[in-house]
Amino acid sequence: MASMRAVQVNQAGGDFELVEREVPTPGRGEALVRVQACGICHSDSFAKEGGFPGVSHPLVPGHEIAGTIESLGDGVHGWEPGQRVGVGWFGGNCGYCEPCRRGDLIGCRNMEIPGITSDGGYADYVLVRASALALIPDELAAEDAAPLLCAGITTFNALRHSGARGGDLVAILGLGGLGHLGVQFAAKLGFQTVSIARGADKGELAKRLGAHHYIDSTAQQPGEALSKLGGARVILSTITNADAVTAVIGGLSRRGKLVIVGASMEPMQIPPAMLIGGDTTIAGHASGTSRDSEDTLSFSVLAGIRPMIETFPLERAGEAYERMMSGAARFRMVLTTGA
Ligand SMILES: [Zn+2]
Ligand SMILES: [Zn+2]
């Protein structure tokens, strides 16, 4: 039997362990992907610490997977071995639940999530549903494609469905793993782009990524600073600090919308009355389907958008994960298998 390397977590809160496993065989409707690169996402903490619906251990984390199709199970149409493919949070839908029957595939009640409900991409090979596959354009390196399959699609899809139109003032709150991509997408989608982050030193990077304005939230009240620029049609929040999110709401224009993609369980304190006068909306946005991933990758090639990454070999997954969790990563950590 062929074997492969995998990095698994044996129990909730346990350490990463490099193990030898048998290479799985794709069943009906499945694809075996030879992993070249797998990004490390903050949501991998759900795999490591447990507590997320569908998580059981031992588990191989990883849902920012880029590689090639090694082999296909029966009943898979439209894909060929050797094709370059990516898989993100969307690990394929069931096709029979109510949201699926209404065409809301990302709302699927039986959705597979690689590295959460099944073994993910911290390995040489990963088994996924064929409906989870997204084609990677030739122009994109695997290690650049990987973070675009979660951090990228999350920000790109939220922005393009936000209702903002070309020329509108759009603010990206945070300039980390999600934020540095959000700023690039906002600028290239034609929005007057404002980057909001902590510290004067990040201003130069924000401008380099395409931001037209930079607000240092440690030096000025960010909501007031946004209002001075005319008020934001959309604020995309990529951060997890609830108070920092609350601090920007006053910077929305009339009928403005706060779109949240930074996942946190911390409650936000917002005076309800504050939402009424401006007809303000607060919304979340779930990442997107495999087809949305393909759009994200193609748009990134078209517009010259790339994530800023640090690569680590697969066997140093634990170290790379700690670097991401500590906030030291600039800006996404990507594991490479050498394939
Ligand atoms: Zn993710
Ligand atoms: Zn479904």
Side-chain angles (χ1 to χ4, degrees):
M1 279 293 170
S3 67
M4 65 173 195
R5 296 170 303 160
V7 174
Q8 69 181 31
V9 179
N10 287 315
Q11 76 259 349
D15 288 330
F16 293 102
E17 195 187 330
L18 184 69
V19 296
E20 192 101 334
R21 282 195 179 190
E22 205 173 286
V23 176
T25 305
R28 192 169 176 79
E30 290 180 333
L32 179 68
V33 175
R34 174 81 169 105
V35 180
Q36 292 173 309
C38 185
I40 297 182
C41 179
H42 195 272
S43 301
D44 292 347
S45 58
F46 295 136
K48 188 164 184 305
E49 307 303 331
F52 195 83
V55 167
S56 68
H57 294 92
L59 182 64
V60 179
H63 59 266
E64 291 188 347
I65 303 160
T68 55
I69 297 177
E70 183 74 11
S71 58
L72 296 166
D74 289 339
V76 176
H77 304 287
W79 296 100
E80 302 277 343
Q83 280 181 307
R84 300 183 68 223
V85 290
V87 185
W89 183 260
F90 178 82
N93 63 304
C94 74
Y96 59 81
C97 74
E98 205 222 314
C100 275
R101 291 173 65 207
R102 293 191 187 280
D104 182 10
L105 310 192
I106 191 70
C108 175
R109 295 197 181 119
N110 309 300
M111 195 176 89
E112 207 72 77
I113 307 168
I116 298 284
T117 64
S118 61
D119 285 326
Y122 289 20
D124 286 317
Y125 293 90
V126 62
L127 208 54
V128 296
R129 288 184 186 169
S131 56
L133 298 174
L135 199 64
I136 299 179
D138 291 342
E139 295 87 340
L140 267 184
E143 55 268 34
D144 286 334
L148 293 172
L149 292 156
C150 183
I153 184 180
T154 294
T155 47
F156 173 67
N157 223 22
L159 284 169
R160 69 173 177 164
H161 291 302
S162 69
R165 296 182 298 179
D168 282 351
L169 194 79
V170 170
I172 310 297
L173 180 58
L175 194 59
L178 289 170
H180 89 287
L181 287 165
V183 167
Q184 294 184 68
F185 284 123
K188 295 291 187 178
L189 283 164
F191 305 138
Q192 196 188 150
T193 304
V194 186
S195 165
I196 307 173
R198 295 171 57 81
D201 53 318
K202 298 209 181 90
E204 195 208 332
L205 171 69
K207 296 274 170 77
R208 201 151 32 92
L209 294 171
H212 303 98
H213 309 276
Y214 178 71
I215 296 172
D216 169 8
S217 61
T218 63
Q220 44 189 333
Q221 208 293 330
E224 283 170 20
L226 264 183
S227 293
K228 267 187 215 151
L229 292 170
R233 178 73 185 81
V234 167
I235 300 174
L236 181 72
S237 170
T238 69
I239 64 172
T240 53
N241 181 314
D243 289 340
V245 179
T246 307
V248 298
I249 290 187
L252 284 168
S253 66
R254 260 198 64 71
R255 300 195 183 280
K257 192 175 182 181
L258 170 69
V259 181
I260 295 170
V261 296
S264 160
M265 292 304 285
E266 202 183 318
M268 290 195 299
Q269 299 227 358
I270 294 158
M274 207 176 151
L275 304 177
I276 297 169
D279 283 312
T280 305
T281 305
I282 300 178
H285 195 279
S287 63
T289 65
S290 48
R291 186 54 246 199
D292 294 316
S293 284
E294 255 181 65
D295 290 346
T296 306
L297 299 176
S298 314
F299 185 79
S300 299
V301 169
L302 179 74
I305 292 169
R306 296 292 183 276
M308 294 171 75
I309 58 169
E310 293 179 41
T311 57
F312 271 58
L314 176 65
E315 56 272 19
R316 286 169 68 193
E319 204 182 319
Y321 175 85
E322 287 310 324
R323 194 163 160 73
M324 182 276 305
M325 287 304 277
S326 71
R330 290 288 171 271
F331 283 93
R332 292 298 275 195
M333 304 302 300
V334 178
L335 300 174
T336 54
T337 63

